[in-house]
Amino acid sequence: GADCSTRYSVSSDLFGTLTAYDTSNSTGLDDLAGDPNQPLAWLAGPATLAALLNDERRGCCGAGVPTMAACVCRIAADVGLVHPEHNVSYLREVPPYRYVYAVLRARVTNRTSGTDAVEAIVPTWPNLLDNMEATIPLTLEGVPSCAPTAEVRRALDGSDYAELFRQHRTAFEAFGATEEDCVVQDHALFRSHADELCSSLVVTRLFLCSFLDVNPLFEGTGRTPSGLLEHITIPNPAVAALQAGPADLDILEFDVPELSCDP
């Protein structure tokens, strides 16, 4: 829209996420992350929702956002799916993907969710490492769960991926990782290094990247590149469960036949 004069207030328990589903496989969103293999979903908190609704620079209400596609791109930049300064975009291709914005009720507890409520975690290094143990059964079935060692935690807290890669290049490259991409495509490599999953700096860092979206640009501050507080929820909840529970889920479909957000 072209007018930010109408101000919206956002309840303190409202969270949202820009997500997408593959229209070639589904007629709607089945899980919050848009990928059932993802163990978590990202959430924007009430302050971010308020900015999207009311802020001319960050949100979708100003004259600089004339279309739904422009709104999606603005949201993507706000939450770090597009990094203009690094010329990087994590957006999925449209088509076949269709983007939606899901809003639900959650509470910040920094722990994994049960069946009674959606729990939100601020993705700092300590919080991610605290919850890594709960994600192993969701991602590597049959691999024993473990918690990162104190040594690994110290090494990763506040770390820079590019610097770690340069220090341990041979170990990272053995998993197929590069300085720009830390997603391990062959998950059998994690199984063959199961005994190092929580004791090796390299293996732990690659697990976090491959399964918990801790990409090379991750800073662990709990904030987006634009400074807004961000959250995750573990496990990635099914839409049917959210609709049946207290989350009060609402989904806005973006009518965007094609999408190109210049990073």
Side-chain angles (χ1 to χ4, degrees):
D3 187 0
C4 294
S5 60
T6 301
R7 309 297 293 178
Y8 296 92
S9 60
V10 177
S11 174
S12 62
D13 65 346
L14 276 186
F15 291 74
T17 185
L18 179 67
T19 185
Y21 63 90
D22 188 344
T23 58
S24 62
N25 296 328
S26 180
T27 58
L29 190 68
D30 296 320
D31 59 275
L32 201 58
D35 178 358
N37 296 315
Q38 276 285 88
L40 60 81
W42 288 85
L43 297 173
T48 304
L49 293 182
L52 295 176
L53 291 169
N54 300 317
D55 191 305
E56 186 168 2
R57 182 174 61 88
R58 287 175 165 170
C60 290
C61 62
V65 188
T67 65
M68 277 286 196
C71 180
V72 173
C73 291
R74 177 68 62 87
I75 295 171
D78 281 341
V79 301
L81 285 171
V82 174
H83 291 262
E85 69 276 20
H86 296 284
N87 197 36
V88 171
S89 172
Y90 295 104
L91 286 172
R92 296 166 177 170
E93 188 176 0
V94 177
Y97 286 92
R98 182 181 178 94
Y99 271 90
V100 303
Y101 201 84
V103 178
L104 66 154
R105 297 192 184 277
R107 59 192 185 191
V108 180
T109 60
N110 290 322
R111 62 174 187 261
T112 56
S113 300
T115 56
D116 58 333
V118 177
E119 315 288 359
I121 299 166
V122 179
T124 60
W125 280 113
N127 286 342
L128 278 174
L129 293 167
D130 282 348
N131 287 283
M132 176 179 161
E133 185 173 3
T135 67
I136 294 172
L138 303 173
T139 53
L140 295 171
E141 187 178 353
V143 172
S145 291
C146 59
T149 63
E151 184 180 7
V152 166
R153 291 179 69 103
R154 282 194 300 270
L156 287 180
D157 194 4
S159 64
D160 175 79
Y161 173 76
E163 185 177 332
L164 288 178
F165 181 87
R166 289 190 289 269
Q167 292 171 353
H168 306 277
R169 176 184 293 271
T170 302
F172 275 106
E173 288 181 341
F175 281 78
T178 67
E179 190 169 338
E180 295 77 29
D181 186 0
C182 52
V183 174
V184 176
Q185 302 295 338
D186 183 3
H187 294 172
L189 288 169
F190 287 115
R191 296 183 183 280
S192 63
H193 291 80
D195 58 336
E196 298 178 85
L197 196 55
C198 294
S199 60
S200 162
L201 162 66
V202 170
V203 181
T204 301
R205 183 62 182 87
L206 290 173
F207 174 89
L208 293 172
C209 179
S210 301
F211 297 112
L212 302 188
D213 290 343
V214 183
N215 62 54
L217 300 179
F218 181 80
E219 296 180 349
T221 62
R223 294 188 177 274
T224 68
S226 60
L228 295 167
L229 198 63
E230 60 185 353
H231 305 80
I232 58 175
T233 186
I234 301 172
N236 168 26
V239 165
L242 292 175
Q243 290 171 330
D248 199 17
L249 180 70
D250 194 16
I251 299 175
L252 168 67
E253 296 258 355
F254 288 106
D255 187 14
V256 180
E258 292 185 2
L259 183 65
S260 177
C261 301
D262 295 329

